[in-house]
Amino acid sequence: MPITTEIFKKDFEEKFSKMYAKELNEGSDLERYQALGTLVRDYATKDWIETNNKYKSLENKEVYYFSMEFLLGRLLGDSLLNLGIRDICKEGLRELDIDLEILEEIEQDQGLGNGGLGRLAACFLDSMASLGIPGHGCGIRYKYGFFDQKIIEGSQVEVADKWLQSKNVWEIRKEDKCEIVKFGGIVTARNIDGRLKFYHDGYEVVKAVPYDTPVIGYENNVVNTLRLWSAESIEDNFDFSSFNRGEYDREINNKSYVESISYILYPEDSFYEGKLLRLKQQYFFVSAGLQSIIRNYKKNGGSIKKLHEKISIHINDTHPTLAIPELMRILIDEEELEWDEAWNITKNTVSYTNHTILAEALEKWPVNMVQELLPRIYMIIEEINKRYCSMLWDKYPGEWHKISSMAIISDNYVKMANLAIVGSHSVNGVAKLHTEILKNKEMADFYEFYPNKFNNKTNGITHRRWLIRSNPDLTALLKDTIGDEFIKNPMKLVNFKEHLKNKNVIESLYKIKYKNKEKLAKEIYKEKGIVVDPNSIFDVHVKRIHAYKRQTLNCLRIMDLYNRLLENPNLDMVPRTFIFGGKAAPGYHLAKNTIQLINAIADKVNNDPIVKDKIKVIMMDNYRVSLAEKIIRAADVSEQISTTTKEASGTSNMKFMMNGAITVATLDGANIEIRDEVTDDNIIIFGLTSDEVLNYYKTCDYSSFDIYNNDSRIKKVLDNLIDGKYSEDRNKFRDIYDSLLIYNDEFFVLRDFNDYIKAQERVDKLYRDKEKWQRICGINIAHSGIFSSDRTIREYSKEIWNTKALYKSE
Ligand code: 26W
């Protein structure tokens, strides 16, 4: 029965009184939010059960997206949207004198991810469900997600993310679906009737408890599952004899030792550290996930020999690579298949996405660590390596260097990317340039050996969250002009182009952006106490803080602009508000120093009466999905200024364009494809090309010191870092200064500086022509359809997973 306003009101009141045994008007907003969330989840359960029943027939191949991170953000608004009941609920609540938006704001972000990789996983879940593709997520239910960032006296302070403090209404604990994961111990081989069998003894046992969250498709009755695993000790395991011996503490410690596995998300992205706990996390969720998938598959009558025809395992970067030897272990030790057959099934089941070429992000584990923690898994990796290296020897006799760099085990390390390439049937990059670099440079030897494994899948974003839900006014304009086809088929956004001749549409675009900017200005005032003018250009740089993303380049140009304003306070320029947001990894000193620099510039500039109406600098605290939604829709300018070749794809670039911002970009990652879509007239490109960057690496003839000495403007801003202008402590920004000069500016900040300034001057000029500016924004919106993750997922489905939708969709 379709839900009406009346039914909803009745259901909601009932749910509330059942949960809290009191009247609705006696409840707090948190209680109302929780009642609403629980009700919405209930509304999805019928479809959830029915979808699961369909999957039981095994008619449809299912894909499991294994990822250490799922950065979901809030779920209430999107669930209502996808169930098609947002307007009904809003109206029903209004009649009860409750504002839906207030309840939506109560929800804690589900922040189980660092950045791009985790958010991509979340967008993919939404697209798989919305396209009716049988696809589920498998990951870790961290007790503490990505830390909350507070800015205190200009510096980042990390605070634990206690997202589970108030109940998570979306998840269901599935006690009956627990799995056992084994660590440590010893493995012995015995010959049983001519077959070598492996026995694992003396291991430690960890109970893996799944928590399931429904992933609701857009108005299609499909509900897939995100299954996150939590580590618990087995109570029965409690050794009471130790209690009698007075070793109570040891047992308690063992409990917390076990539970520490799913305690916390590692906050490093793009920098790998060989921490034992991280290796445990990886094996923990991969082993639990695979065991439960295979158990379920067999229960539904699936034949183990046909596993690869019915199930795809996708690994999101190398973090879940142990899925390869773990699947081998299950097939050989438990299902008693022969090696060759098991290997064939494994390779054909697993596919792998690479998300970064940064060498320091490549995972490798010390051999003795893997051996001790996962003795049987190590044996299997060794055997895979042995067989694979013998193939390499046949093909490249005598080429020792090549073979050792391609080997899975070398220099006493297990190289996870190598294992992922060898043990999967598909390796993909996340944007065209990135894939080309993988094929021709980073993974060139592998590409030569396995030319057919490599392919590109340019990233995408779910337009349901990033446009329809987070920018309702723009969505309304689009519906008014091009109808609502674009909701199911975002490629139809291109029809918006023809409306850009219409002055009223241009005016509406302007007004919508202005309104979004006003809302953000309010938020900035609330959070930071700083007044910003919505008539100024909102120039936004939000993403993880990292040297390669070059927040410093942005800082230097603001410092330069400030210098020019000091020289000439009447400088003719459109006022700008520079908005930054992003977290630094806690151990990444330079990134933290960059945050301090942004805040120091903000402090100086925002309090200088000479320039205060021309420029403002804001560093928003605690950048996260829910804040991104508010910032991105209000942006005029999107800063995508990574050193060319370093940003695998970027995805915020797509979100900004879809919300009608103009991109200032280097020709890096998906920026190139955005440029190709909108053409050079509708994007502002600057900086070194990838060939130029690669050439610098080859010839080693870059000298930032020469640039510094020959360019007085650059010299001046660099000197400002250490001359006391931004801090009485002249050493405060010394490390940034040194990285740019003494360490020869690894990311070519100085080289791109002048070109970047010119690009920004073009922005200034363009913005003065209001109509032209809005038309360009409109063109960007019109061409953003291809960057919907629906397009990406269709490609994965067709070209990698071979999965079919439950029904025919557009
Ligand atoms: C081992 C530590 C570690 C943790 C996370 C290394 C690397 C990562 C991720 C691969 C970093 C990441 O999020 N990469 C981003 O992935 C996005 C989705 O594909 C891309 O859009 C970004 O360009 C890429 O930086």
Side-chain angles (χ1 to χ4, degrees):
M1 187 166 62
I3 297 161
T4 61
T5 313
E6 287 313 308
I7 295 175
F8 166 75
K9 281 197 304 192
K10 190 169 149 280
D11 289 349
F12 180 60
E13 283 180 310
E14 248 175 54
K15 177 60 82 183
F16 186 92
S17 61
K18 268 192 200 146
M19 277 173 72
Y20 299 107
K22 63 183 172 189
E23 298 287 336
L24 194 50
N25 58 16
E26 292 171 312
S28 66
D29 281 340
L30 176 64
E31 288 167 337
R32 291 174 189 168
Y33 154 72
Q34 296 210 327
L36 179 60
T38 310
L39 175 64
V40 171
R41 198 198 65 197
D42 286 355
Y43 281 154
T45 47
K46 190 166 153 276
D47 285 340
W48 201 4
I49 292 168
E50 272 170 22
T51 306
N52 275 330
N53 283 340
K54 279 195 196 126
Y55 294 158
K56 277 184 196 154
S57 72
L58 299 184
E59 269 166 39
N60 306 279
K61 189 175 183 190
E62 284 175 84
V63 54
Y64 293 88
Y65 199 82
F66 275 49
S67 178
M68 266 195 116
E69 307 188 7
F70 287 93
L71 190 47
L72 297 183
R74 293 174 175 155
L75 293 181
L76 177 58
D78 293 77
S79 304
L80 289 170
L81 175 74
N82 285 8
L83 288 171
I85 55 172
R86 193 157 194 277
D87 293 340
I88 289 163
C89 289
K90 198 177 160 102
E91 175 57 21
L93 289 169
R94 203 190 54 75
E95 288 173 19
L96 296 168
D97 228 8
I98 297 170
D99 184 345
L100 172 61
E101 276 166 35
I102 291 179
L103 299 194
E104 284 176 340
E105 280 293 308
I106 300 271
E107 183 173 358
Q108 282 272 335
D109 274 45
Q110 198 154 323
L112 307 185
N114 271 284
L117 166 133
R119 183 55 231 174
L120 186 76
C123 284
F124 280 6
L125 291 181
D126 185 65
S127 282
M128 288 191 290
S130 295
L131 294 173
I133 290 172
H136 314 284
C138 176
I140 300 174
R141 179 181 180 268
Y142 301 103
K143 184 166 179 200
Y144 300 104
F146 195 21
F147 65 82
D148 280 334
Q149 177 199 55
K150 290 208 158 46
I151 306 287
I152 297 179
E153 289 175 11
S155 301
Q156 166 174 298
V157 174
E158 300 92 20
V159 180
D161 164 39
K162 299 188 178 162
W163 72 289
L164 289 170
Q165 213 164 34
S166 43
K167 187 181 156 48
N168 171 10
V169 297
W170 306 107
E171 65 182 13
I172 295 182
R173 181 183 163 101
K174 293 275 170 78
E175 193 64 50
D176 58 323
K177 298 274 181 344
C178 290
E179 296 289 346
I180 293 295
V181 180
K182 300 172 182 172
F183 290 102
I186 47 164
V187 175
T188 42
R190 261 175 264 161
N191 191 328
I192 308 280
D193 301 333
R195 193 178 193 276
L196 217 47
K197 281 204 79 170
F198 294 87
Y199 295 89
H200 190 181
D201 299 293
Y203 47 78
E204 258 181 89
V205 168
V206 176
K207 182 165 123 182
V209 185
Y211 287 74
D212 288 356
T213 296
V215 182
I216 303 166
Y218 181 80
E219 295 191 1
N220 65 359
N221 305 101
V222 172
V223 181
N224 290 334
T225 302
L226 168 61
R227 174 163 284 185
L228 300 179
W229 296 93
S230 178
E232 293 185 10
S233 63
I234 294 182
E235 291 97 288
D236 296 350
N237 225 12
F238 191 90
D239 183 355
F240 278 94
S241 60
S242 72
F243 185 77
N244 298 333
R245 291 195 305 271
E247 290 172 14
Y248 180 79
D249 275 358
R250 194 181 60 101
E251 276 305 308
I252 293 291
N253 279 340
N254 182 49
K255 185 174 161 74
S256 57
Y257 168 84
V258 165
E259 290 176 0
S260 72
I261 292 175
S262 56
Y263 236 57
I264 189 149
L265 165 80
Y266 277 98
E268 284 84 27
D269 75 329
S270 66
F271 188 79
Y272 153 81
E273 265 184 298
K275 294 255 179 64
L276 178 64
L277 185 60
R278 188 172 162 92
L279 182 62
K280 279 191 193 166
Q281 291 185 331
Q282 297 187 345
Y283 183 67
F284 167 72
F285 92 95
V286 152
S287 174
L290 279 174
Q291 290 185 65
S292 84
I293 289 165
I294 291 174
R295 189 181 311 284
N296 193 40
Y297 174 68
K298 284 172 62 182
K299 193 174 102 195
N300 293 329
S303 141
I304 201 72
K305 297 191 171 196
K306 291 194 168 161
L307 188 77
H308 54 292
E309 290 172 23
K310 295 293 175 188
I311 282 168
S312 259
I313 305 287
H314 197 88
I315 57 177
N316 199 19
D317 215 275
T318 56
H319 320 151
T321 302
L322 290 172
I324 292 163
E326 174 67 0
L327 183 51
M328 286 296 282
R329 182 191 70 75
I330 296 173
L331 295 178
I332 293 172
D333 294 358
E334 293 178 15
E335 302 297 330
E336 306 198 320
L337 298 189
E338 296 302 323
W339 181 278
D340 287 341
E341 193 168 22
W343 183 238
N344 217 7
I345 293 171
T346 300
K347 257 193 327 190
N348 285 316
T349 304
V350 179
S351 46
Y352 153 59
T353 299
N354 172 286
H355 295 265
T356 181
I357 61 157
L358 297 182
E360 63 271 30
L362 289 183
E363 291 192 295
K364 51 179 192 178
W365 298 103
V367 160
N368 60 355
M369 199 190 262
V370 184
Q371 233 167 355
E372 274 168 37
L373 187 71
L374 309 166
R376 179 63 184 136
I377 291 299
Y378 183 75
M379 289 170 82
I380 291 169
I381 296 174
E382 226 177 10
E383 184 64 25
I384 295 172
N385 186 50
K386 204 174 94 193
R387 290 171 184 241
Y388 160 67
C389 284
S390 95
M391 274 159 51
L392 291 178
W393 281 315
D394 287 347
K395 178 135 191 204
Y396 307 113
E399 293 189 49
W400 296 106
H401 184 73
K402 187 170 187 151
I403 293 168
S404 93
S405 82
M406 292 174 80
I408 296 164
I409 304 172
S410 71
D411 304 326
N412 260 318
Y413 280 102
V414 179
K415 313 229 166 113
M416 302 311 265
N418 299 15
L419 178 55
I421 298 169
V422 175
S424 64
H425 66 280
S426 167
V427 178
N428 75 281
V430 290
K432 279 182 194 159
L433 174 69
H434 171 59
T435 302
E436 286 309 306
I437 293 174
L438 290 181
K439 291 199 297 194
N440 302 320
K441 204 167 166 282
E442 296 318 305
M443 296 179 171
D445 288 343
F446 292 100
Y447 179 50
E448 183 188 88
F449 194 66
Y450 299 119
N452 300 327
K453 272 194 194 183
F454 285 78
N455 63 92
N456 177 248
K457 296 286 167 282
T458 299
N459 282 165
I461 55 166
T462 168
H463 61 289
R464 285 167 291 275
R465 174 177 293 257
W466 295 105
L467 171 62
I468 299 167
R469 219 252 312 121
S470 63
N471 201 342
D473 293 334
L474 179 56
T475 303
L477 174 66
L478 290 166
K479 282 188 190 164
D480 283 350
T481 49
I482 60 172
D484 55 12
E485 262 181 308
F486 74 94
I487 294 177
K488 288 230 160 160
N489 179 4
M491 293 305 282
K492 296 278 180 195
L493 282 169
V494 80
N495 294 336
F496 190 50
K497 244 172 122 169
E498 68 194 60
H499 295 273
L500 297 171
K501 290 178 221 120
N502 180 340
K503 290 218 164 162
N504 294 330
V505 171
I506 294 292
E507 183 63 21
S508 303
L509 272 178
Y510 172 80
K511 283 191 180 144
I512 289 162
K513 184 63 78 177
Y514 190 86
K515 195 172 149 198
N516 288 337
K517 286 165 79 176
E518 270 184 327
K519 279 194 201 156
L520 180 59
K522 268 195 197 138
E523 183 83 11
I524 290 173
Y525 184 72
K526 193 178 102 202
E527 295 291 319
K528 312 280 309 180
I530 300 171
V531 178
V532 300
D533 180 3
N535 288 303
S536 64
I537 299 175
F538 277 21
D539 180 329
V540 181
H541 200 172
V542 286
K543 49 185 80 256
R544 286 299 291 263
I545 313 290
H546 198 292
Y548 86 79
K549 295 180 189 277
R550 298 203 295 192
Q551 280 90 358
T552 42
L553 176 57
N554 198 349
C555 287
L556 294 182
R557 68 107 176 197
I558 300 171
M559 290 159 66
D560 173 71
L561 184 57
Y562 181 45
N563 285 342
R564 286 196 288 146
L565 278 167
L566 291 177
E567 280 163 23
N568 173 17
N570 296 321
L571 187 78
D572 181 25
M573 64 169 286
V574 183
R576 271 209 216 197
T577 303
F578 302 97
I579 299 167
F580 289 88
K583 295 175 185 175
Y588 188 176
H589 170 71
L590 210 61
K592 289 182 127 178
N593 204 204
T594 305
I595 293 177
Q596 292 175 317
L597 178 61
I598 297 167
N599 285 310
I601 300 170
D603 226 30
K604 186 91 188 155
V605 165
N606 298 347
N607 296 309
D608 187 336
I610 297 183
V611 297
K612 84 170 188 329
D613 295 327
K614 291 250 165 75
I615 55 179
K616 283 262 164 72
V617 179
I618 308 291
M619 171 78 198
M620 295 297 280
D621 299 31
N622 206 26
Y623 183 64
R624 60 198 187 283
V625 174
S626 58
L627 183 57
E629 290 164 9
K630 294 173 188 152
I631 293 178
I632 290 170
R633 66 184 179 203
D636 295 307
V637 174
S638 156
E639 298 285 346
Q640 307 298 338
I641 63 175
S642 54
T643 307
T644 301
T645 73
K646 296 291 180 190
E647 189 69 272
S649 160
T651 42
S652 75
N653 44 4
M654 302 166 183
K655 296 165 196 163
F656 280 104
M657 96 181 275
M658 196 175 270
N659 282 276
I662 296 184
T663 312
V664 172
T666 48
L667 284 174
D668 198 15
N671 299 344
I672 297 174
E673 285 149 86
I674 294 178
R675 193 269 320 259
D676 292 347
E677 285 299 315
V678 301
T679 75
D680 278 304
D681 296 339
N682 301 298
I683 186 167
I684 294 174
I685 298 290
F686 76 99
L688 291 169
T689 62
S690 56
D691 285 345
E692 288 169 323
V693 168
L694 295 175
N695 203 44
Y696 269 134
Y697 290 139
K698 222 191 303 173
T699 59
C700 295
D701 65 353
Y702 179 69
S703 165
S704 62
F705 200 62
D706 286 351
I707 299 179
Y708 169 84
N709 282 320
N710 292 316
D711 187 318
S712 57
R713 249 165 97 178
I714 290 183
K715 183 168 189 314
K716 187 165 179 184
V717 283
L718 274 195
D719 289 347
N720 286 159
L721 287 171
I722 53 164
D723 67 5
K725 184 167 185 165
Y726 291 98
S727 165
E728 279 175 22
D729 171 5
R730 289 170 182 237
N731 280 326
K732 188 158 183 186
F733 304 116
R734 169 68 66 172
D735 290 337
I736 294 179
Y737 177 87
D738 283 353
S739 76
L740 295 171
L741 272 185
I742 314 295
Y743 298 101
N744 201 24
D745 183 17
E746 192 185 342
F747 297 103
F748 308 109
V749 172
L750 303 194
R751 178 66 177 77
D752 278 345
F753 180 83
N754 282 309
D755 212 12
Y756 184 48
I757 301 272
K758 279 195 212 121
Q760 296 295 352
E761 283 166 1
R762 271 150 62 204
V763 170
D764 184 276
K765 192 159 160 243
L766 197 61
Y767 196 79
R768 292 164 198 245
D769 185 343
K770 261 193 187 168
E771 214 178 298
K772 190 166 175 200
W773 180 275
Q774 289 305 332
R775 188 160 302 117
I776 295 179
C777 293
I779 289 171
N780 273 272
I781 298 165
H783 283 278
S784 66
I786 197 161
F787 298 109
S788 163
S789 44
D790 290 3
R791 186 266 312 148
T792 316
I793 284 298
R794 278 204 184 88
E795 291 176 1
Y796 275 89
S797 174
K798 189 158 167 255
E799 295 161 25
I800 301 181
W801 303 329
N802 192 23
T803 43
K804 302 267 174 307
L806 283 178
Y807 61 94
K808 189 86 201 101
S809 76
E810 189 15 80

